[in-house]
Coordinates of all heavy atoms in Angstrom, one line a residue:
M1307 N -277.1 -80.9 108.5 CA -277.1 -81.5 109.9 C -276.2 -80.7 110.7 O -275.0 -80.4 110.3 CB -276.6 -83.0 109.8 CG -276.5 -83.6 111.2 SD -275.7 -85.1 111.3 CE -276.6 -86.2 110.3
A1308 N -276.6 -80.3 111.9 CA -275.8 -79.6 112.8 C -274.7 -80.5 113.5 O -275.0 -81.6 113.8 CB -276.7 -78.9 113.9
R1309 N -273.6 -79.9 113.7 CA -272.5 -80.7 114.4 C -272.6 -80.5 115.9 O -272.9 -79.4 116.3 CB -271.1 -80.2 113.9 CG -271.0 -80.6 112.4 CD -269.6 -80.1 111.9 NE -268.6 -81.0 112.4 CZ -267.4 -81.0 112.1 NH1 -266.9 -80.1 111.3 NH2 -266.5 -81.9 112.6
R1310 N -272.3 -81.5 116.6 CA -272.4 -81.4 118.1 C -271.0 -81.3 118.7 O -270.1 -81.9 118.2 CB -273.1 -82.6 118.7 CG -274.6 -82.6 118.3 CD -275.3 -83.8 118.9 NE -276.6 -83.8 118.5 CZ -277.6 -84.4 119.2 NH1 -277.3 -85.0 120.4 NH2 -278.8 -84.4 118.8
V1311 N -270.9 -80.6 119.7 CA -269.6 -80.5 120.4 C -269.8 -80.8 121.9 O -270.8 -80.3 122.5 CB -269.0 -79.1 120.3 CG1 -267.7 -78.9 121.1 CG2 -268.8 -78.7 118.8
V1312 N -269.0 -81.6 122.5 CA -269.1 -81.9 123.9 C -267.8 -81.4 124.6 O -266.7 -81.8 124.2 CB -269.2 -83.4 124.2 CG1 -269.3 -83.7 125.6 CG2 -270.5 -83.9 123.5
V1313 N -267.9 -80.5 125.6 CA -266.8 -80.1 126.4 C -266.7 -80.9 127.6 O -267.6 -80.9 128.4 CB -267.0 -78.6 126.8 CG1 -265.8 -78.1 127.6 CG2 -267.1 -77.7 125.5
T1314 N -265.6 -81.6 127.8 CA -265.4 -82.5 128.9 C -264.6 -82.0 130.0 O -264.5 -82.5 131.1 CB -264.8 -83.9 128.5 OG1 -263.5 -83.6 127.9 CG2 -265.7 -84.6 127.4
G1315 N -264.0 -80.8 129.8 CA -263.2 -80.2 130.8 C -262.3 -79.1 130.2 O -262.1 -79.0 129.0
I1316 N -261.8 -78.3 131.1 CA -261.0 -77.2 130.7 C -259.7 -77.3 131.5 O -259.8 -77.4 132.8 CB -261.6 -75.8 130.9 CG1 -262.9 -75.7 130.0 CG2 -260.7 -74.7 130.6 CD1 -263.7 -74.5 130.2
G1317 N -258.6 -77.2 130.9 CA -257.3 -77.3 131.7 C -256.2 -76.5 131.0 O -256.3 -76.2 129.8
L1318 N -255.3 -76.1 131.8 CA -254.2 -75.3 131.3 C -252.9 -75.8 131.8 O -252.8 -76.2 133.0 CB -254.3 -73.8 131.7 CG -255.4 -73.0 131.2 CD1 -255.6 -71.7 131.9 CD2 -255.2 -72.7 129.7
V1319 N -251.9 -75.9 131.0 CA -250.5 -76.2 131.4 C -249.7 -75.2 130.6 O -249.6 -75.3 129.4 CB -250.1 -77.7 131.1 CG1 -248.7 -77.9 131.4 CG2 -251.0 -78.6 131.8
C1320 N -249.1 -74.3 131.3 CA -248.3 -73.2 130.7 C -247.2 -72.7 131.6 O -247.1 -73.2 132.8 CB -249.2 -72.1 130.1 SG -250.1 -71.2 131.4
G1321 N -246.5 -71.7 131.2 CA -245.5 -71.1 132.0 C -245.9 -70.4 133.3 O -245.2 -70.2 134.2
V1322 N -247.2 -70.1 133.4 CA -247.8 -69.4 134.5 C -248.3 -70.4 135.6 O -248.5 -70.0 136.7 CB -248.9 -68.4 134.1 CG1 -249.4 -67.6 135.2 CG2 -248.3 -67.5 133.0
G1323 N -248.6 -71.6 135.2 CA -249.1 -72.6 136.1 C -249.5 -73.9 135.4 O -249.5 -74.0 134.2
N1324 N -249.8 -74.9 136.2 CA -250.1 -76.2 135.7 C -251.6 -76.6 135.9 O -252.0 -77.7 135.5 CB -249.2 -77.3 136.4 CG -247.8 -77.1 136.0 OD1 -247.4 -76.5 135.0 ND2 -246.9 -77.5 136.8
T1325 N -252.4 -75.8 136.5 CA -253.8 -76.0 136.6 C -254.5 -74.7 136.3 O -254.0 -73.6 136.3 CB -254.2 -76.5 138.0 OG1 -253.9 -75.4 138.9 CG2 -253.4 -77.7 138.5
T1326 N -255.8 -74.9 136.0 CA -256.6 -73.7 135.6 C -256.6 -72.7 136.8 O -256.4 -71.5 136.6 CB -258.0 -74.1 135.3 OG1 -258.0 -75.1 134.2 CG2 -258.9 -72.9 134.9
E1327 N -256.8 -73.2 138.0 CA -256.8 -72.4 139.2 C -255.5 -71.6 139.4 O -255.5 -70.4 139.7 CB -257.2 -73.2 140.4 CG -258.6 -73.8 140.4 CD -258.7 -75.0 139.5 OE1 -257.7 -75.7 139.2 OE2 -259.9 -75.3 139.2
E1328 N -254.4 -72.4 139.3 CA -253.1 -71.8 139.5 C -252.8 -70.7 138.4 O -252.3 -69.6 138.8 CB -252.0 -72.9 139.5 CG -250.6 -72.4 139.7 CD -249.6 -73.5 139.6 OE1 -249.9 -74.6 139.1 OE2 -248.4 -73.2 140.1
V1329 N -253.1 -71.0 137.2 CA -252.9 -70.0 136.1 C -253.7 -68.8 136.4 O -253.2 -67.6 136.3 CB -253.2 -70.6 134.7 CG1 -253.2 -69.6 133.6 CG2 -252.3 -71.7 134.4
W1330 N -255.0 -68.9 136.7 CA -255.9 -67.8 136.9 C -255.4 -66.9 138.1 O -255.3 -65.7 138.0 CB -257.3 -68.2 137.2 CG -258.3 -67.1 137.3 CD1 -259.0 -66.8 138.3 CD2 -258.6 -66.2 136.2 NE1 -259.8 -65.7 138.1 CE2 -259.6 -65.3 136.8 CE3 -258.2 -66.0 134.9 CZ2 -260.1 -64.3 136.0 CZ3 -258.8 -64.9 134.2 CH2 -259.7 -64.1 134.7
K1331 N -255.0 -67.6 139.2 CA -254.5 -66.9 140.4 C -253.2 -66.1 140.0 O -253.1 -64.9 140.4 CB -254.1 -67.9 141.5 CG -253.6 -67.2 142.7 CD -253.3 -68.3 143.8 CE -251.8 -68.2 144.0 NZ -251.3 -69.3 144.7
N1332 N -252.3 -66.7 139.3 CA -251.0 -66.0 138.9 C -251.3 -64.9 137.9 O -250.6 -63.8 137.9 CB -250.0 -67.0 138.4 CG -249.5 -67.9 139.5 OD1 -249.4 -67.5 140.6 ND2 -249.0 -69.1 139.1
L1333 N -252.2 -65.1 137.0 CA -252.5 -64.0 136.0 C -253.1 -62.8 136.7 O -252.8 -61.6 136.5 CB -253.5 -64.5 135.0 CG -252.9 -65.5 133.9 CD1 -254.1 -66.0 133.0 CD2 -251.8 -64.8 133.1
L1334 N -254.1 -63.0 137.7 CA -254.6 -62.0 138.4 C -253.6 -61.2 139.3 O -253.7 -60.0 139.5 CB -255.8 -62.5 139.3 CG -257.0 -62.9 138.6 CD1 -258.0 -63.5 139.6 CD2 -257.7 -61.8 137.8
A1335 N -252.6 -62.0 139.7 CA -251.5 -61.4 140.6 C -250.5 -60.7 139.7 O -249.5 -60.1 140.2 CB -250.9 -62.4 141.4
G1336 N -250.6 -60.8 138.4 CA -249.7 -60.1 137.4 C -248.3 -60.8 137.3 O -247.4 -60.3 136.9
K1337 N -248.3 -62.1 137.6 CA -247.1 -62.9 137.5 C -246.8 -63.3 136.1 O -247.8 -63.5 135.3 CB -247.1 -64.1 138.4 CG -247.2 -63.8 139.9 CD -247.1 -65.0 140.7 CE -247.1 -64.6 142.2 NZ -247.0 -65.8 143.1
S1338 N -245.6 -63.4 135.7 CA -245.2 -63.8 134.4 C -244.5 -65.2 134.5 O -243.8 -65.5 135.4 CB -244.1 -62.8 133.8 OG -243.6 -63.3 132.6
G1339 N -244.7 -66.0 133.5 CA -244.1 -67.3 133.4 C -242.8 -67.3 132.6 O -242.1 -68.3 132.4
V1340 N -242.4 -66.1 132.2 CA -241.2 -66.0 131.4 C -240.0 -65.7 132.3 O -240.0 -65.0 133.2 CB -241.3 -64.8 130.4 CG1 -240.0 -64.6 129.6 CG2 -242.5 -65.0 129.5
G1341 N -238.9 -66.4 132.0 CA -237.6 -66.3 132.8 C -236.5 -67.0 132.1 O -236.6 -67.5 130.9
R1342 N -235.4 -67.0 132.7 CA -234.2 -67.7 132.1 C -234.4 -69.1 132.0 O -235.1 -69.8 132.9 CB -233.0 -67.4 133.0 CG -232.4 -66.0 132.9 CD -230.9 -66.0 133.3 NE -230.3 -64.8 132.8 CZ -229.8 -64.6 131.6 NH1 -229.8 -65.6 130.8 NH2 -229.2 -63.5 131.3
I1343 N -234.0 -69.7 130.9 CA -234.1 -71.2 130.7 C -233.4 -71.9 131.7 O -232.2 -71.7 132.0 CB -233.7 -71.5 129.3 CG1 -234.6 -70.8 128.2 CG2 -233.6 -73.0 129.1 CD1 -234.1 -71.0 126.8
A1344 N -234.1 -72.9 132.4 CA -233.5 -73.7 133.5 C -233.4 -75.1 133.1 O -232.7 -75.9 133.8 CB -234.2 -73.4 134.7
Q1345 N -234.1 -75.6 132.1 CA -234.2 -77.0 131.8 C -233.0 -77.6 131.2 O -232.8 -78.8 131.2 CB -235.5 -77.3 131.0 CG -236.8 -77.0 131.7 CD -237.0 -77.8 133.0 OE1 -236.8 -79.0 133.0 NE2 -237.4 -77.1 134.0
F1346 N -232.2 -76.7 130.5 CA -231.0 -77.1 129.9 C -230.0 -75.9 129.8 O -230.4 -74.8 130.1 CB -231.2 -77.7 128.5 CG -231.8 -76.7 127.5 CD1 -231.0 -76.0 126.7 CD2 -233.2 -76.5 127.4 CE1 -231.5 -75.1 125.8 CE2 -233.7 -75.6 126.5 CZ -232.9 -74.9 125.7
D1347 N -228.8 -76.2 129.5 CA -227.8 -75.1 129.4 C -228.0 -74.3 128.1 O -227.7 -74.9 127.0 CB -226.4 -75.7 129.5 CG -225.3 -74.6 129.3 OD1 -225.6 -73.4 129.4 OD2 -224.1 -75.0 129.2
A1348 N -228.5 -73.1 128.2 CA -228.8 -72.4 127.0 C -227.8 -71.3 126.7 O -228.0 -70.4 125.8 CB -230.2 -71.7 127.2
S1349 N -226.6 -71.4 127.3 CA -225.6 -70.4 127.2 C -225.1 -70.2 125.8 O -224.6 -69.2 125.4 CB -224.4 -70.6 128.2 OG -223.8 -71.9 127.9
S1350 N -225.1 -71.3 125.0 CA -224.7 -71.2 123.6 C -225.7 -70.7 122.6 O -225.5 -70.6 121.4 CB -224.1 -72.6 123.2 OG -225.2 -73.5 123.2
H1351 N -226.9 -70.4 123.1 CA -228.0 -69.9 122.3 C -228.2 -68.4 122.4 O -227.9 -67.8 123.4 CB -229.3 -70.6 122.6 CG -229.3 -72.1 122.5 ND1 -229.5 -72.7 121.2 CD2 -229.1 -73.1 123.3 CE1 -229.4 -74.0 121.4 NE2 -229.2 -74.3 122.6
A1352 N -228.6 -67.8 121.3 CA -228.8 -66.4 121.3 C -229.9 -66.0 122.3 O -229.8 -64.9 122.9 CB -229.2 -65.9 119.9
C1353 N -230.9 -66.8 122.4 CA -232.0 -66.5 123.3 C -231.9 -67.4 124.5 O -231.8 -68.6 124.4 CB -233.4 -66.7 122.6 SG -234.8 -66.3 123.6
Q1354 N -232.0 -66.8 125.7 CA -231.9 -67.6 126.9 C -233.1 -67.4 127.8 O -233.0 -67.7 129.0 CB -230.6 -67.2 127.6 CG -229.4 -67.5 126.8 CD -228.1 -67.2 127.4 OE1 -228.0 -66.7 128.6 NE2 -227.0 -67.4 126.7
I1355 N -234.2 -66.9 127.3 CA -235.4 -66.8 128.1 C -236.5 -67.5 127.4 O -236.5 -67.8 126.2 CB -235.8 -65.3 128.2 CG1 -236.0 -64.6 126.9 CG2 -234.8 -64.5 129.1 CD1 -236.7 -63.3 127.0
A1356 N -237.4 -68.0 128.2 CA -238.6 -68.8 127.7 C -239.7 -68.8 128.7 O -239.4 -68.5 129.9 CB -238.1 -70.2 127.3
A1357 N -240.8 -69.3 128.3 CA -241.9 -69.5 129.3 C -242.0 -71.0 129.5 O -242.9 -71.7 129.0 CB -243.2 -69.0 128.7
E1358 N -241.1 -71.6 130.2 CA -241.0 -73.0 130.5 C -242.1 -73.5 131.4 O -242.5 -72.7 132.3 CB -239.7 -73.4 131.2 CG -238.5 -73.2 130.3 CD -237.2 -73.6 131.0 OE1 -236.9 -73.0 132.0 OE2 -236.5 -74.5 130.5
V1359 N -242.6 -74.7 131.2 CA -243.6 -75.3 132.1 C -242.8 -75.9 133.2 O -241.9 -76.7 133.0 CB -244.4 -76.4 131.4 CG1 -245.3 -77.1 132.3 CG2 -245.2 -75.7 130.3
K1360 N -243.1 -75.4 134.5 CA -242.3 -75.9 135.6 C -243.1 -76.8 136.5 O -244.3 -76.8 136.5 CB -241.9 -74.6 136.5 CG -241.1 -73.6 135.7 CD -241.0 -72.3 136.5 CE -240.4 -71.2 135.7 NZ -241.2 -70.7 134.6
N1361 N -242.4 -77.7 137.1 CA -243.0 -78.7 138.1 C -244.2 -79.5 137.5 O -245.2 -79.7 138.1 CB -243.5 -78.0 139.3 CG -242.4 -77.2 140.0 OD1 -241.3 -77.7 140.1 ND2 -242.6 -76.0 140.4
F1362 N -244.1 -79.9 136.2 CA -245.1 -80.6 135.5 C -244.8 -82.1 135.6 O -243.8 -82.5 135.1 CB -245.3 -80.1 134.1 CG -246.3 -80.9 133.3 CD1 -247.7 -80.7 133.7 CD2 -246.0 -81.8 132.4 CE1 -248.7 -81.4 133.0 CE2 -247.0 -82.5 131.7 CZ -248.3 -82.3 132.0
D1363 N -245.8 -82.9 136.1 CA -245.7 -84.3 136.1 C -247.0 -84.8 135.3 O -248.1 -84.7 135.8 CB -245.7 -84.9 137.5 CG -245.6 -86.4 137.5 OD1 -245.5 -87.0 136.4 OD2 -245.6 -87.0 138.6
P1364 N -246.8 -85.3 134.1 CA -248.0 -85.7 133.3 C -248.8 -86.8 134.0 O -250.0 -86.9 133.8 CB -247.4 -86.2 132.0 CG -246.0 -86.5 132.3 CD -245.6 -85.6 133.4
L1365 N -248.2 -87.6 134.9 CA -248.9 -88.6 135.6 C -250.0 -88.1 136.6 O -250.8 -88.8 137.0 CB -248.0 -89.6 136.3 CG -247.0 -90.4 135.4 CD1 -246.1 -91.2 136.2 CD2 -247.8 -91.2 134.4
N1366 N -249.9 -86.8 136.9 CA -250.9 -86.1 137.7 C -252.2 -85.9 136.9 O -253.2 -85.5 137.5 CB -250.4 -84.8 138.3 CG -249.3 -85.1 139.4 OD1 -249.3 -86.1 140.0 ND2 -248.5 -84.1 139.6
F1367 N -252.1 -86.0 135.6 CA -253.2 -85.6 134.7 C -253.7 -86.7 133.9 O -254.9 -86.8 133.5 CB -252.8 -84.4 133.8 CG -252.4 -83.2 134.6 CD1 -251.1 -83.0 134.9 CD2 -253.4 -82.3 134.9 CE1 -250.7 -81.8 135.6 CE2 -253.0 -81.2 135.6 CZ -251.7 -80.9 136.0
V1368 N -252.8 -87.6 133.4 CA -253.2 -88.8 132.6 C -252.6 -90.1 133.1 O -251.6 -90.0 133.8 CB -252.8 -88.6 131.1 CG1 -253.5 -87.4 130.5 CG2 -251.3 -88.4 131.0
E1369 N -253.3 -91.2 132.8 CA -252.8 -92.5 133.3 C -251.6 -92.9 132.4 O -251.6 -92.6 131.2 CB -253.9 -93.5 133.2 CG -255.0 -93.3 134.2 CD -256.0 -94.4 134.1 OE1 -255.7 -95.5 133.7 OE2 -257.1 -94.2 134.5
K1370 N -250.7 -93.6 133.0 CA -249.5 -94.1 132.2 C -250.0 -95.3 131.4 O -250.8 -96.1 131.8 CB -248.4 -94.6 133.2 CG -247.2 -95.0 132.5 CD -246.1 -95.4 133.5 CE -244.9 -95.8 132.8 NZ -243.8 -96.1 133.7
R1371 N -249.6 -95.3 130.1 CA -250.0 -96.4 129.2 C -249.1 -97.6 129.5 O -248.0 -97.5 129.8 CB -249.9 -96.0 127.8 CG -250.8 -94.8 127.4 CD -250.8 -94.5 126.0 NE -252.0 -95.2 125.5 CZ -252.3 -95.2 124.2 NH1 -251.5 -94.6 123.3 NH2 -253.4 -95.7 123.8
K1372 N -249.7 -98.7 129.3 CA -249.0 -100.0 129.5 C -248.0 -100.2 128.4 O -248.1 -99.8 127.3 CB -249.9 -101.2 129.6 CG -250.8 -101.1 130.8 CD -251.7 -102.3 130.8 CE -252.6 -102.2 132.0 NZ -253.5 -103.3 132.1

């Protein structure tokens, strides 16, 4: 029996952007999502760079559970 797959949508949340359109635009422009860590004080860590997800609010994408 063949297995079926249903694609309900495509989305991206990464260091380059929070929507598919934003990510694609930034990739075409050659922008990088990598930079100094800003979400916490990383001065005591050996590595202080990361591809942090910026300006992400999960409530823009999914409903809050009760």
Side-chain angles (χ1 to χ4, degrees):
M1307 177 192 299
R1309 295 180 73 174
R1310 294 180 182 206
V1311 175
V1312 177
V1313 177
T1314 59
I1316 298 174
L1318 293 169
V1319 176
C1320 64
V1322 184
N1324 295 336
T1325 64
T1326 305
E1327 295 79 17
E1328 182 182 15
V1329 170
W1330 186 244
K1331 181 181 113 190
N1332 288 333
L1333 288 175
L1334 290 176
K1337 294 186 179 180
S1338 170
V1340 177
R1342 288 206 163 270
I1343 295 172
Q1345 298 297 317
F1346 63 92
D1347 180 11
S1349 61
S1350 63
H1351 297 281
C1353 180
Q1354 298 178 3
I1355 60 170
E1358 293 179 302
V1359 175
K1360 299 167 189 76
N1361 304 317
F1362 178 70
D1363 182 0
L1365 295 178
N1366 290 336
F1367 299 92
V1368 294
E1369 291 182 25
K1370 186 175 180 178
R1371 298 187 99 182
K1372 294 182 181 178

